[in-house]
Amino acid sequence: MKDNQAKYPQLRFKGFTDPWEKRTLGQTTTKAKSYSLSRDVERDHETGYRYIHYGDIHTGVADIVTEHTKLPNIEPANYDELRVNDLVVADASEDYQGIAEPAVVVGLPTHLVAGLHTITLRPSSASSLYLYYLLHTDSFKHFGYQMGTGLKVFGISWSNLSKFTFMIPSRPEQEMIVKLIESVDNLIAVNQRKLAKLKELKQGYLQKLFPQNGSKFPQLRFAGFADAWEERKLSDLFIKGGSGGTPKSTNKAFYDGDIPFLGISDITKSNGFINNTEKHISSDGLNSSAAWIVSKGAISLAMYASVGKLAILNIDAATSQAFYNMIFDDYDLRDLVYQRLNKANELSEWNKLISTGTQSNLNADKVKNFQMYLPKNHDEIKLISTFFKQIDNTIVLHQRKLEKLQELKKGYLQKMFC
């Protein structure tokens, strides 16, 4: 019974009822010869060939684009030129998640060869794109983890890769599965481009709506405003500020409470707003350290690790000492300061203030003394803040849509493959 269940996927198109058949990658593909580029060879000879480095392999169905054109003289017996529908996988990664990360050749220039740390699979009895999506499933990633070797660099050989066993449907069903997932991929790509354009648009406005290079006037202004902006020190703009603290990590009781505790990982993966945190601390943990409850609406700015990254708290939370927290009584001013600090992060303005040592970081005094130009007129502050908030809200909406599409694809990969 268990074996029969394994022959059918959870989700299937109407009209297909036949059981799937067991195959291995070694049975459904052949290995094309990649070109092994020796590390001690001078790579300065233009041969007209392009080669794919493992770093060129990207997630998603797309043309493989590579700028690697300079190769030593190569003999045809040392490689196989790539063909359309070949699968090129990375045979090395810093962690198992990237092991055998695939790319499919859907269009290629002439004289393209696979190079360093790659394995080329040439499908012989299966759809190339079906195998491409198969190599993105959790079952394959688990297989890569089991069969991969290495410590600092995780790698997999063709002999092990060829042993990957899977269930496969008829060719027409393969094509139907590919068509569905490819349509989701196309929607993902469209939304990724829209999101990238929105973020680029915002960066452009950050440049133009704030003065640059010591000027007191921005390049772009709302109608009716012409006064020079004034230089302000960050500490003069908020009503309360301070870094946090960390309860002793060896005391588990300090981390079994319900007080959200902001960490670097939370702010790194945020879209500029903190709605929840990975860790929570207890009241005893809070009282045992320099941590304090930072009220909802505050700006938290990373001083260690992801220096300059910042977010607005949508919840009351405590933070580690890696953050400087700022509470404002004027949300229009807060939003404008938030955007100005975003600009500082994007333009690496904090770099000149960073203390060097075992870890590059800021300190509270440097944050408080940060200087910026702001409008004198509160109406102008409100207009600029509202304008950026609208852009940010649109970015968040597109980000959520993208995440839903990615979840949809993940669901199809789980349910449409045995």
Side-chain angles (χ1 to χ4, degrees):
M1 182 67 177
K2 188 175 181 180
D3 184 58
N4 286 335
Q5 287 177 338
K7 294 179 181 179
Y8 300 92
Q10 294 179 50
L11 188 62
R12 206 167 186 189
F13 288 100
K14 289 182 179 179
F16 296 100
T17 57
D18 293 340
W20 290 19
E21 298 180 355
K22 185 179 289 187
R23 292 287 186 272
T24 66
L25 275 181
Q27 293 171 325
T28 53
T29 67
T30 58
K31 178 179 178 289
K33 195 176 295 184
S34 296
Y35 177 71
S36 296
L37 189 64
S38 175
R39 292 183 179 275
D40 57 1
V41 172
E42 285 292 332
R43 307 175 195 177
D44 60 357
H45 184 72
E46 192 74 52
T47 63
Y49 283 88
R50 291 175 180 267
Y51 76 94
I52 296 172
H53 186 272
Y54 70 102
D56 296 316
I57 297 175
H58 305 291
T59 302
V61 181
D63 292 335
I64 292 175
V65 179
T66 174
E67 297 302 320
H68 303 292
T69 58
K70 294 183 178 180
L71 290 170
N73 288 318
I74 53 181
E75 298 295 331
N78 293 335
Y79 65 92
D80 288 324
E81 283 196 36
L82 292 177
R83 304 173 186 170
V84 171
N85 293 327
D86 280 350
L87 285 166
V88 183
V89 301
D91 70 0
S93 174
E94 292 182 0
D95 61 69
Y96 85 93
Q97 289 287 349
I99 199 68
E101 180 68 40
V104 63
V105 180
V106 295
L108 72 166
T110 56
H111 301 311
L112 181 66
V113 299
L116 191 64
H117 296 311
T118 65
I119 298 173
T120 301
L121 309 180
R122 185 156 289 165
S124 55
S125 59
S127 161
S128 177
L129 288 177
Y130 179 84
L131 294 179
Y132 169 80
Y133 287 122
L134 176 70
L135 298 188
H136 281 92
T137 60
D138 288 341
S139 61
F140 178 73
K141 290 181 180 179
H142 180 67
F143 169 85
Y145 175 73
Q146 288 183 314
M147 302 301 288
T149 59
L151 296 174
K152 291 184 178 180
V153 177
F154 208 72
I156 195 167
S157 64
W158 160 247
S159 62
N160 282 335
L161 190 63
S162 66
K163 296 173 186 174
F164 177 59
T165 304
F166 55 92
M167 304 301 293
I168 190 169
S170 65
R171 193 61 175 253
E173 191 169 2
Q174 290 176 46
E175 299 296 346
M176 290 289 286
I177 293 169
V178 165
K179 186 176 180 180
L180 176 65
I181 302 179
E182 197 172 19
S183 68
V184 179
D185 256 343
N186 291 336
L187 288 174
I188 288 173
V190 168
N191 280 275
Q192 284 174 330
R193 288 193 292 269
K194 287 182 179 178
L195 188 60
K197 286 182 179 179
L198 277 170
K199 290 180 177 179
E200 185 179 345
L201 179 68
K202 180 184 175 180
Q203 294 312 311
Y205 280 124
L206 283 173
Q207 300 291 323
K208 293 181 179 180
L209 284 169
F210 286 97
Q212 300 207 62
N213 303 319
S215 173
K216 297 180 180 180
F217 300 90
Q219 289 180 259
L220 189 63
R221 296 187 87 165
F222 287 96
F225 300 99
D227 293 342
W229 287 21
E230 59 182 346
E231 191 170 23
R232 304 290 299 276
K233 188 164 65 172
L234 185 54
S235 61
D236 294 335
L237 302 174
F238 52 81
I239 59 173
K240 182 180 179 181
S243 58
T246 303
K248 188 176 292 185
S249 60
T250 54
N251 191 328
K252 293 183 179 180
F254 288 167
Y255 290 86
D256 67 354
D258 57 4
I259 301 172
F261 186 66
L262 185 68
I264 291 295
S265 61
D266 296 313
I267 206 163
T268 299
K269 66 185 181 183
S270 76
N271 291 318
F273 299 92
I274 301 296
N275 298 304
N276 51 65
T277 59
E278 290 181 3
K279 295 180 180 180
H280 291 75
I281 61 174
S282 63
S283 295
D284 288 341
L286 181 76
N287 296 330
S288 73
S289 68
W292 51 288
I293 301 294
V294 183
S295 59
K296 176 182 177 180
I299 294 175
S300 289
L301 184 143
M303 297 190 293
Y304 307 162
S306 300
V307 175
K309 183 79 174 176
L310 67 156
I312 293 174
L313 298 180
N314 280 340
I315 53 173
D316 293 341
T319 81
S320 73
Q321 64 272 24
F323 297 95
Y324 192 82
N325 307 292
M326 295 161 273
I327 299 173
F328 293 76
D329 60 356
D330 179 345
Y331 274 15
D332 292 324
L333 177 61
R334 178 207 63 180
D335 290 343
L336 191 64
V337 170
Y338 170 76
Q339 298 299 344
R340 178 61 184 85
L341 294 179
N342 257 322
K343 179 186 175 186
N345 183 43
E346 292 293 331
L347 296 182
S348 303
E349 292 182 50
W350 296 109
N351 287 356
K352 59 186 177 184
L353 303 176
I354 286 175
S355 303
T356 57
T358 54
Q359 184 181 32
S360 296
N361 56 67
L362 290 170
N363 60 47
D365 286 337
K366 289 178 179 177
V367 174
K368 289 188 292 184
N369 290 320
F370 185 79
Q371 302 278 342
M372 65 182 73
Y373 282 96
L374 295 176
K376 297 177 183 178
N377 190 312
H378 189 271
D379 289 339
E380 188 172 10
I381 289 175
K382 185 177 180 64
L383 278 171
I384 298 172
S385 299
T386 302
F387 176 76
F388 277 114
K389 186 181 292 186
Q390 290 171 341
I391 294 178
D392 281 341
N393 288 341
T394 306
I395 288 174
V396 169
L397 286 174
H398 278 78
Q399 185 68 51
R400 287 174 182 166
K401 185 176 181 181
L402 180 60
E403 289 168 359
K404 286 182 179 179
L405 286 168
Q406 290 168 335
E407 283 298 313
L408 179 64
K409 177 182 174 180
K410 184 178 180 181
Y412 283 144
L413 289 175
Q414 289 176 341
K415 295 178 179 179
M416 302 198 79
F417 291 84
C418 287

